[in-house]
Amino acid sequence: MIYLHDGHIRDMGMDWRQLTGIVEQVIRTRDAGDTVSPLKTYLRFHDLKNRIIAMPSFVGGSFGLAGLKWIASYPDNGRHGLPRAHNTIILNDTATGRPVALLRSELLNGLRTAAVSGLMMQAYMAARQPEELRLGIIGWGPIGRRHLEMCAALFGNRLKQVMLNDLKGIDPDTIPLQLRDRTEIAADWRAVYRGSNVTATCTVAAERYIDEQPPAGALLLNVSLRDYKPASVAKVNAVIVDDWREVCRENTDIEKLHEQAGLSESDARTIADVVCRGAMAEFAADEAVFFNPMGLGAFDIAIAGYYWQRALQLGLGVELEQDN
């Protein structure tokens, strides 16, 4: 069994085309019925805004992986100089159940999240063919930063404008040097929202704040899932989720739309519909697309498996001994 941490992941590098390809392959494997992903379990105690989430998953097909993601989310950690999320993944051999890898990595969580967004952006760009990509990111924590890195890698010169906003302010030195001439730090979220054709909300907002209908034809990557007041997106017809059972709970924007605007599972499309059945073409070019990814454990297990196998090839990681 080997142990991997963020340093090992950085040493192996971040190939965004590879990562989005893994996500796509998992979606196709899942659509073929060869994954098992029980609903996530949320563990709460004492301060109920904190949570630790268990995400077990098996991914068949060419992956042949099983494992568990165990991620703690403590929104107030920033006050103590700690990351909000603490992410651990354990991988098991599917033939024997033997644990083969333990990954303690916040970076992996951001890679999975941005890779899923990247795959949705690829589908959006292919279907809509916008002349330019104007990217807005609300929330400049680790997830927001991974999204900018992903967009720069996947879309290159098509990325014409970047607008960023964070309630705590943004240090310009945290923006990648090669993107600073294209990047504006906005004073409020409205400028970002109105000026972008792709907006990623990557916040830990305590309350919903977006109260405007989206720009025509925009792609809304609702990564943080709890930023939109229901009235702002109640008229959006192009609603896409990763899994309805997962995302229509836990106070998400989808759950609020279900409760207050009557949104049902049959009204939404899934990311599998987009990848496997070209669902993005169903929507008119001026229709905003509202993507709500709750995050599937199958993606995390597959990406962790990729890095585990790379580490074996490169001789990285710390070998953990078993006392028999």
Side-chain angles (χ1 to χ4, degrees):
M1 180 177 181
I2 65 169
Y3 169 71
L4 300 172
H5 53 59
D6 276 346
H8 298 128
I9 303 302
R10 291 191 184 95
D11 286 345
M12 288 183 274
M14 290 160 274
D15 183 334
W16 287 105
R17 294 197 183 280
Q18 178 73 34
L19 293 172
T20 55
I22 290 170
V23 170
E24 179 177 355
Q25 191 175 354
V26 171
I27 290 168
R28 294 187 184 280
T29 302
R30 189 170 186 262
D31 198 59
D34 200 14
T35 66
V36 180
S37 295
L39 280 176
K40 301 175 186 178
T41 297
Y42 290 75
L43 177 65
R44 290 187 173 89
F45 48 90
H46 299 162
D47 188 342
L48 298 183
K49 69 175 174 292
N50 301 327
R51 61 196 182 187
I52 309 179
I53 308 171
M55 301 165 59
S57 190
F58 162 75
V59 190
S62 63
F63 295 99
L65 293 167
L68 173 71
K69 177 178 179 177
W70 179 239
I71 182 166
S73 176
Y74 280 53
D76 292 339
N77 272 0
R79 301 176 186 175
H80 311 293
L82 296 171
R84 177 186 63 85
H86 295 279
N87 182 43
T88 304
I89 297 174
I90 188 165
L91 298 177
N92 298 78
D93 178 85
T94 55
T96 66
R98 180 176 62 91
V100 294
L102 175 67
L103 300 94
R104 171 72 174 85
S105 171
E106 276 69 67
L107 182 54
L108 278 181
N109 189 55
L111 295 182
R112 181 270 290 165
T113 304
V116 173
S117 292
L119 186 63
M120 181 57 62
M121 286 185 66
Q122 288 175 332
Y124 169 83
M125 297 290 283
R128 299 290 175 87
Q129 295 291 322
E131 293 184 3
E132 60 185 28
L133 172 57
R134 292 174 282 106
L135 174 69
I137 299 175
I138 304 172
W140 189 238
I143 301 297
R145 298 180 194 195
R146 296 293 89 76
H147 273 73
L148 182 54
E149 292 169 7
M150 172 273 293
C151 288
L154 293 183
F155 302 104
N157 291 333
R158 298 180 72 185
L159 179 58
K160 298 297 184 182
Q161 171 189 296
V162 178
M163 298 184 72
L164 308 176
N165 171 255
D166 192 290
L167 287 176
K168 297 179 181 179
I170 295 173
D171 181 350
D173 289 341
T174 61
I175 301 168
L177 183 61
Q178 70 273 23
L179 296 175
R180 290 179 190 173
D181 62 341
R182 288 176 264 175
T183 301
E184 174 186 346
I185 298 174
D188 61 59
W189 67 266
R190 294 183 191 277
V192 176
Y193 191 61
R194 295 169 181 173
S196 305
N197 55 6
V198 176
T199 298
T201 47
C202 306
T203 76
V204 290
E207 296 181 355
R208 292 171 170 84
Y209 57 92
I210 295 178
D211 56 6
E212 298 184 5
Q213 293 186 11
L219 172 62
L220 310 178
L221 300 170
N222 189 19
V223 177
S224 39
L225 294 168
R226 299 167 184 89
D227 291 63
Y228 289 83
K229 294 185 176 183
S232 67
V233 285
K235 295 182 180 180
V236 174
N237 295 315
V239 176
I240 300 172
V241 301
D242 48 9
D243 184 285
W244 178 267
R245 295 181 309 146
E246 286 284 10
V247 78
C248 191
R249 60 183 185 135
E250 291 293 326
N251 190 38
T252 64
D253 295 335
I254 290 295
E255 184 180 37
K256 293 305 176 185
L257 284 172
H258 174 63
E259 294 172 346
Q260 299 182 25
L263 182 74
S264 67
E265 183 174 5
S266 62
D267 298 320
R269 297 292 180 270
T270 67
I271 192 170
D273 291 327
V274 171
V275 170
C276 303
R277 288 171 284 281
M280 193 70 73
E282 297 178 16
F283 311 118
D286 61 352
E287 179 74 60
V289 177
F290 190 40
F291 179 47
N292 292 260
M294 191 66 154
L296 301 179
F299 298 144
D300 296 277
I301 298 305
I303 289 175
Y306 162 73
Y307 279 105
W308 164 57
Q309 291 166 352
R310 287 266 295 156
L312 292 178
Q313 294 167 358
L314 297 171
L316 295 176
V318 178
E319 186 173 352
L320 303 179
E321 296 182 358
Q322 179 178 348
D323 185 357
N324 293 320

